[in-house]
Amino acid sequence: MMQIIFKHPEFMIPILILLSLSIICQISMGVLCHKLILESENMSSTANKSLQQLKLKFSSCCQLHEGMSNISIFVDKYMNQLKIGGFSLSVMKHLSGQLVLLSILISGIGACRGIIAGESILYIVPYYIISFLGLYCYFAISSLVDIVGKTQILRTNLIDYLENHLVSRLEQTTLDLKLVRGEADAKAEENTRLAEENAQIKEHMPIEENAPKAGPAADKPEESVLSHSEAKELESLLREFLV
């Protein structure tokens, strides 16, 4: 086999690279889905940024539209946005299959070239062997990874959490906020009413700006200007003058 690889590296090396890339694509999708499934089992305390963004976006949509009726569509849109290296899961799946088919095509071209060149069957059969092994590895890993099954499990977990847990929490939070706002508004109205009543009472109270002040000073008689002796002298003079 090594002799064939070194004799026709222009065919064997691309075939092996394409098969390896196809297997890597399958494994990468399986690892991503498996990780998300484990995180979705405990969505309330997940540390996955993608799932945290999902919860935040869902909460924002529920608050803006006062509920979410198409949760399954929301989850499907999230699933379509899952990417590996800039490629979505559907693109990665198709890319993996195309890489296998391209490797088989190169194997067929190499085998045809060997037949035309009159090479020994020893140098032609390995192309077919590699092609069959590549197909076997592709389908075996595809069945083990089971992207379709894993995506369905992930979708079910997300819909269950959003519909049966997060929606009820958001509704309870919204109800609590409404109650708090209602109590605050009632207190504000009560304070406004009391202020208006106090203002009306002050307006109807009599104003006594010029009223005399009550107190000991008001009850005191005015003190005489003359002293007692001077008053007697004045009284005696008046008597003499009148007599």
Side-chain angles (χ1 to χ4, degrees), residues 26-175:
Q26 292 282 342
I27 294 174
S28 299
M29 289 187 293
V31 170
L32 176 64
C33 292
H34 182 70
K35 183 178 179 180
L36 290 175
I37 288 172
L38 292 179
E39 293 289 340
S40 64
E41 294 292 340
N42 192 12
M43 283 282 290
S44 58
S45 61
T46 181
N48 188 274
K49 293 183 179 180
S50 178
L51 295 178
Q52 288 179 349
Q53 291 177 356
L54 172 68
K55 294 195 297 183
L56 182 60
K57 186 176 180 180
F58 183 82
S59 301
S60 301
C61 291
C62 286
Q63 292 176 357
L64 289 175
H65 303 288
E66 296 184 353
M68 179 70 69
S69 58
N70 296 322
I71 297 178
S72 59
I73 296 176
F74 183 85
V75 173
D76 289 337
K77 290 176 66 177
Y78 167 77
M79 299 288 293
N80 294 331
Q81 293 174 357
L82 292 176
K83 293 182 179 181
I84 301 175
F87 299 99
S88 62
L89 293 181
S90 60
V91 172
M92 289 288 290
K93 185 177 180 180
H94 293 304
L95 180 62
S96 178
Q98 293 298 321
L99 291 174
V100 171
L101 293 177
L102 186 58
S103 67
I104 294 173
L105 177 62
I106 295 174
S107 297
I109 294 173
C112 292
R113 182 182 177 184
I115 293 172
I116 293 171
E119 294 181 352
S120 173
I121 193 172
L122 183 64
Y123 294 98
I124 296 175
V125 170
Y127 288 107
Y128 296 100
I129 295 174
I130 290 176
S131 298
F132 286 121
L133 288 176
L135 288 173
Y136 173 77
C137 290
Y138 172 78
F139 288 109
I141 294 175
S142 179
S143 62
L144 290 174
V145 172
D146 191 17
I147 300 299
V148 177
K150 282 185 170 58
T151 53
Q152 186 62 36
I153 293 173
L154 177 61
R155 182 176 182 273
T156 303
N157 289 345
L158 294 178
I159 292 176
D160 175 65
Y161 174 76
L162 296 178
E163 188 172 354
N164 298 325
H165 296 82
L166 190 56
V167 169
S168 59
R169 291 181 184 178
L170 291 174
E171 290 178 352
Q172 184 63 37
T173 302
T174 304
L175 181 60

Side-chain angles (χ1 to χ4, degrees), residues 202-208:
K202 289 180 179 179
E203 289 179 356
H204 291 84
M205 287 179 65
I207 301 174
E208 298 178 355

